[in-house]
Amino acid sequence: MLFRNRFLFLLALAALLAFLSLSLQFLHLIPVNPVREDGLNPKSRKRIMPDLLTEPPAIDPVYEAHVYCNIPGIAERSMEGHAPHYFKLVSVQVLIRHGDRYPLYAIPKTKRPDIDCMLVPSRKPSHPQLEAFIKHMSKGSAAQMDGSLSSLPHFPSHSLCEMGELTQTGVVQHLRNGQLLREIYINKHKLLPGDWTAKQLYLETTGKSRTLQSALALLYTFLPDFDWKKINMRHQWSTIFCSGSCDCPMRNHYLEEEQRRQYSLRVKNNDLERIYVDMAKIVGIPTRQLRASNPIDSLLCYFCHNVSFPCTKAGCIGMEHFKVIKRHQLEDERERQEKKLYFLYALLATHPLLNQTVNRLQRIAEGKKEEVFVLYSAHDVTLSPVLSALGITEARFPRFAARLVFELWQDGKRPKEHFIRILYNGADVTFQTSFCKDHYKRSNKPMCPLEKFVNFVKRDMFLIFNSTSYYDACHRKAL
């Protein structure tokens, strides 16, 4: 009897344990690892998934070229202007690259790309406001334009584009940018009142027609039919916007070292050399002359405008030539991010511009009346070092009409606290920055305290140079 009772007790206990085990598994309180149909245990899934750090995806030069062209198409999704409802937007600073342009270089002994730079609203790509933009630009004599800017045309108007000239595609790209920013910052956040004044804007551009025209295209849809008398366009002679702080010997040193790195990578690429030799034979010039003509700049124009690559009696430049050269360009960009030379150059090149940005944001946060909307119209060689200096290493090289936005927000619950958000082509990259990449782990607010940005620009940018000031860093070699 005793044995029987003990047996029944153990049987009941086993049934109870089995029931509890199944219940826990059903409620997902303990892990379950069934064998899959392919015979692999789910614990091994990490081994069959690619590790992005050690197994980077193959470079697709054609896809990346399409991204770079930025041909206007479907409506763009944007994260600009997103914040908790109790936050107030108090300032926006925008740094843009000019839109699509005609090449700066020509491949010798080939016909130039047949691109029309007349603005024709009925020709694609177009924009609903393109015709009104053309009419408004013809009335711009009342605007204040610094220096040589006053002699530049307000929109492109050549039946055959001149070298470096903005195309209709480039105009449309920035009409779209301005429209997008207006919907967010004017219509939604009321950043500027209907009776805005010239003092509320700060506009600055380099002395190229493509940057001036890009700025005007963006402004036109951002502030439709604006009063020309309120436009005061400042001229920036330096492509890195260093203004009165351009004397920096070490910046030039690091740039020269970076250029040597680029050359070294280029001569090591046997596929690239083979392509250059083949292309040089097609056009009938020495290989070194073809390299000097920077063929990728010209080929990108053919590609972006869907024009056939050039041909001669000896043959045609084709997609395979383009792919190899573009692939090398992408590999160069990847190596540049991995090396320190460009980063050191970028820190020194961009400090004057970032310092100006920080000073303005601080004054606005203190309640002083400053320009609440700022627009810098610049180049790829402006945006690229800014991205690098901020530590946004995952960002693509600036495409045509790229935009980098700095938003300043005031906490409505604690009005003395201000925060920034940084967005690149509509994507929030605030927590990719070196100075705020860990902040989101300790905060429930989707932005970065302004003081972190201030400390980075005023102090931390110089630590790698073992310096405490921009001047000292410009004259002392990094450790």
Side-chain angles (χ1 to χ4, degrees):
M1 180 66 69
L2 181 62
F3 175 80
R4 182 183 177 188
N5 290 341
R6 186 176 297 174
F7 174 78
L8 291 174
F9 173 77
L10 292 175
L11 186 63
L13 181 61
L16 177 62
L17 291 175
F19 174 78
L20 288 174
S21 176
L22 289 171
S23 299
L24 289 172
Q25 291 181 16
F26 178 77
L27 295 172
H28 303 289
L29 297 178
I30 61 174
V32 185
N33 298 312
V35 176
R36 302 186 323 196
E37 292 181 1
D38 56 10
L40 294 175
N41 188 298
K43 287 185 177 180
S44 67
R45 276 183 290 185
K46 286 187 177 180
R47 289 198 294 263
I48 63 172
M49 294 294 288
D51 184 345
L52 296 182
L53 295 178
T54 58
E55 300 174 27
I59 293 176
D60 184 345
V62 174
Y63 173 79
E64 294 296 333
H66 277 295
V67 173
Y68 177 84
C69 295
N70 189 23
I71 302 300
I74 60 174
E76 182 178 357
R77 296 183 63 185
S78 162
M79 289 299 294
E80 277 110 339
H82 286 241
H85 66 90
Y86 55 88
F87 273 72
K88 179 184 178 182
L89 182 68
V90 291
S91 177
V92 172
Q93 303 197 43
V94 183
L95 174 62
I96 61 171
R97 184 191 177 188
H98 58 76
D100 177 80
R101 59 157 172 78
Y102 201 68
L104 298 173
Y105 306 89
I107 300 176
K109 296 188 177 182
T110 62
K111 184 180 180 296
R112 290 172 54 189
D114 188 12
I115 309 296
D116 187 347
C117 274
M118 295 290 291
L119 298 185
V120 181
S122 60
R123 187 177 67 223
K124 294 182 179 181
S126 190
H127 188 276
Q129 298 299 313
L130 180 56
E131 186 173 1
F133 166 76
I134 298 169
K135 292 179 181 178
H136 197 68
M137 290 302 105
S138 63
K139 305 173 184 177
S141 59
Q144 298 181 54
M145 300 277 180
D146 281 357
S148 61
L149 296 180
S150 59
S151 63
L152 296 177
H154 293 166
F155 59 94
S157 59
H158 294 99
S159 56
L160 178 60
C161 296
E162 296 184 344
M163 302 301 281
E165 186 173 10
L166 196 70
T167 66
Q168 176 164 316
T169 300
V171 171
V172 170
Q173 287 166 337
H174 278 300
L175 289 174
R176 288 166 59 92
N177 271 342
Q179 181 180 13
L180 183 150
L181 297 182
R182 175 177 176 78
E183 291 172 357
I184 297 168
Y185 296 135
I186 304 296
N187 297 344
K188 180 179 179 180
H189 288 286
K190 314 300 181 186
L191 181 67
L192 288 170
D195 58 348
W196 59 272
T197 67
K199 293 182 179 180
Q200 293 172 299
L201 301 184
Y202 183 90
L203 312 173
E204 190 169 353
T205 178
T206 61
K208 300 295 184 181
S209 63
R210 60 184 177 273
T211 51
L212 173 63
Q213 293 166 5
S214 292
L216 292 174
L218 187 151
L219 275 177
Y220 182 72
T221 44
F222 185 67
L223 300 168
D225 296 321
F226 56 74
D227 185 348
W228 278 105
K229 295 178 182 178
K230 297 181 181 180
I231 301 301
N232 180 10
M233 192 70 71
R234 296 164 176 84
H235 176 222
Q236 173 57 244
W237 67 270
S238 167
T239 57
I240 58 173
F241 284 66
C242 54
S243 301
S245 304
C246 295
D247 180 23
C248 188
M250 289 310 300
R251 179 196 67 222
N252 299 335
H253 166 75
Y254 291 122
L255 180 59
E256 291 170 1
E257 291 295 310
E258 164 62 16
Q259 290 169 343
R260 291 190 184 95
R261 181 205 62 78
Q262 291 178 1
Y263 176 78
S264 176
L265 183 67
R266 188 164 61 244
V267 298
K268 292 177 183 177
N269 191 323
N270 294 329
D271 288 340
L272 182 67
E273 181 63 20
R274 174 179 55 80
I275 287 296
Y276 275 144
V277 170
D278 190 46
M279 288 175 61
K281 289 179 180 178
I282 290 173
V283 298
I285 60 173
T287 305
R288 63 179 180 276
Q289 185 181 350
L290 178 72
R291 290 197 203 96
S293 70
N294 193 14
I296 188 60
D297 183 65
S298 183
L299 293 178
L300 277 167
C301 181
Y302 288 95
F303 181 87
C304 293
H305 289 266
N306 199 25
V307 176
S308 298
F309 293 131
C311 293
T312 68
K313 293 180 180 179
C316 293
I317 295 174
M319 184 58 75
E320 287 308 310
H321 298 101
F322 175 76
K323 285 181 180 179
V324 171
I325 298 176
K326 182 61 181 175
R327 182 179 288 109
H328 169 75
Q329 186 185 49
L330 295 167
E331 290 170 350
D332 177 69
E333 291 170 13
R334 179 177 291 180
E335 183 178 285
R336 184 183 66 189
Q337 295 291 357
E338 296 171 353
K339 306 294 182 181
K340 263 190 176 180
L341 292 172
Y342 187 78
F343 176 62
L344 295 174
Y345 159 75
L347 290 172
L348 297 178
T350 63
H351 179 264
L353 177 59
L354 291 176
N355 191 52
Q356 186 182 49
T357 299
V358 157
N359 288 340
R360 182 180 290 111
L361 294 178
Q362 282 185 299
R363 291 193 296 268
I364 294 174
E366 292 168 359
K368 298 177 182 178
K369 293 184 178 180
E370 290 283 334
E371 306 96 341
V372 294
F373 182 77
V374 177
L375 178 63
Y376 296 105
S377 188
H379 306 263
D380 53 358
V381 293
T382 317
L383 267 73
S384 183
V386 171
L387 292 168
S388 180
L390 293 175
I392 308 172
T393 57
E394 298 178 12
R396 281 187 169 95
F397 187 80
R399 68 191 189 188
F400 285 131
R403 66 182 188 274
L404 181 67
V405 178
F406 297 83
E407 298 176 344
L408 179 65
W409 295 84
Q410 182 183 39
D411 188 335
K413 296 180 179 179
R414 298 179 179 178
K416 291 186 178 180
E417 293 187 8
H418 289 78
F419 297 81
I420 65 163
R421 290 178 74 232
I422 301 175
L423 303 106
Y424 183 51
N425 296 330
D428 190 337
V429 295
T430 308
F431 298 121
Q432 293 181 30
T433 61
S434 58
F435 56 87
C436 216
K437 60 184 178 181
D438 294 325
H439 179 72
Y440 75 97
K441 298 176 182 177
R442 305 187 299 271
S443 173
N444 60 354
K445 296 177 181 177
M447 50 190 73
C448 185
L450 175 60
E451 58 265 27
K452 284 187 171 291
F453 186 33
V454 173
N455 290 338
F456 169 73
V457 174
K458 300 290 186 180
R459 181 191 66 201
D460 298 345
M461 287 183 77
F462 312 124
L463 295 179
I464 195 170
F465 303 101
N466 195 28
S467 301
T468 57
S469 70
Y470 174 66
Y471 178 85
D472 190 44
C474 281
H475 295 81
R476 177 183 296 184
K477 193 166 185 177
L479 297 177

